[in-house]
Amino acid sequence: MKEKALVLSTILLFFANFFFAQEQKQAELKVSNWTFSLEGGMGLRIGTYNEIVWAKRSYDNERYKQSELEYRLRPSFYTALNFSVNYKRLGFKLSNKFFIASKAGTLTDSDWRNDSSCQNGDTTTKTDFSEHTLFLKDKFGGIAGFDLELKGDYKFYPTNWLSLAPLLSFNVQYMSFLAKDGYGYYGVHDYKNNRILPYNDIATRQTYSFEGKKVIEYEAYNFFIWTGIGAKFTPFSWLHFELASEFSPVSLLLDFDKHLTNSKDFKEIVFSTLSAFRQSVKAEFILKKNFSICQTCVFVVSKESEGAMYYKKSEDSSYQRISKNSGGGKVTYFDLELSLKFSW
């Protein structure tokens, strides 16, 4: 009997605390229905943008990876600016990251050409490999890309130190890359055995220097719709923690790839569902009533997507779809950001 009374008391206490918190928050909102904040700072992105080409095997038409380019950011710096508007429980946030044109990391380009060239069914031997210096290319007065997002949320208050909010946002990302210099390693054609030898066979491979040459220009547009749930903890009056877990029900990839050494231009258009996951963590240290310092970490990973691939022979020609191949890609990156926040 005592155990039942204890359980009932715990449940009643929880609901009493819940409704007390709701009333308390509503009382605060009546005093100030509107709140605003402006947040600006600097950050860095570490990650990889993958560009992939798939083909079909000659003997069974199964899909295999024929080519993959990895644009590796180590790291890339950006400026950040966020503006938030809150009305009672409803909130909106407009944020943008501007990536600074600079040396960014490396590009690696790998190919598996045996089955496409020799029709021998070998889709596992890497025949070509090259590595180049990667730059974020200047597109807008020193800016090489942006990450623009509009997010909305609606808050609930289970307790006076915790808020929960469903999230919905629209996210547009653009990055401009340039790869140059470096070396390429190419397996030779063994006509006797009808195969291309692996690129890492030092005794037979051909080496080519790209020093002083521009190799690839790549522009990638990623469009994400994000949805999920966020939580805000207030363990102390001077410290707030925010967590958000989100997934992308739909996304769109549009990219343009110019191979400058052989004048080949490609375009890929990829529509994906349930394609990506994003996890963010934010700590806000309140120094004064309307001023705080924030530290934000964001991790994003997407699956390999596949879609239509197009090719054009020259600048004056139009893109033609490649029916036997398909293209796509994925992104994986981590953002670390430090910012100052002003509220009123």
Side-chain angles (χ1 to χ4, degrees), residues 305-318:
S305 58
E306 182 179 0
M309 187 174 183
Y310 301 82
Y311 168 72
K312 70 175 182 178
K313 298 179 180 179
S314 67
E315 288 292 331
D316 298 328
S317 62
S318 58

Side-chain angles (χ1 to χ4, degrees), residues 44-62:
L44 60 87
R45 175 170 293 183
I46 300 172
T48 304
Y49 287 66
N50 295 71
E51 180 189 359
I52 305 170
V53 176
W54 284 278
K56 292 183 179 180
R57 285 195 302 226
S58 57
Y59 63 93
D60 62 0
N61 285 328
E62 284 294 316

Side-chain angles (χ1 to χ4, degrees), residues 120-150:
N120 63 2
D122 178 8
T123 60
T124 60
T125 300
K126 185 184 290 190
T127 58
D128 304 346
F129 177 80
S130 62
E131 189 169 24
H132 316 277
T133 304
L134 182 65
F135 295 83
L136 291 183
K137 185 182 177 183
D138 187 349
K139 295 294 288 186
F140 317 103
I143 301 301
F146 59 83
D147 190 332
L148 176 65
E149 181 169 6
L150 176 62

Side-chain angles (χ1 to χ4, degrees), residues 63-78:
R63 185 189 76 157
Y64 75 97
K65 189 180 294 184
Q66 187 184 53
S67 176
E68 182 170 22
L69 293 91
E70 291 191 356
Y71 301 82
R72 301 172 179 174
L73 306 180
R74 301 289 188 271
S76 299
F77 294 93
Y78 64 83

Side-chain angles (χ1 to χ4, degrees), residues 182-223:
Y183 291 88
Y185 308 97
Y186 306 96
V188 299
H189 199 142
D190 179 3
Y191 290 96
K192 180 179 179 180
N193 296 298
N194 188 36
R195 66 189 295 257
I196 299 174
L197 299 178
Y199 82 93
N200 55 0
D201 188 338
I202 299 176
T204 60
R205 73 183 183 187
Q206 297 177 341
T207 302
Y208 183 83
S209 173
F210 292 94
E211 292 303 311
K213 296 182 180 180
K214 295 180 179 180
V215 182
I216 290 176
E217 290 182 350
Y218 180 64
E219 293 182 292
Y221 299 81
N222 285 289
F223 303 87

Side-chain angles (χ1 to χ4, degrees), residues 7 23 29 63 97 164 204 224 235 274 277 284 304 336:
V7 172
E23 290 299 323
L29 293 172
R63 185 189 76 157
K97 300 173 182 178
L164 301 175
T204 60
F224 292 104
L274 302 176
F277 172 77
E284 180 179 354
E304 291 184 351
L336 180 63

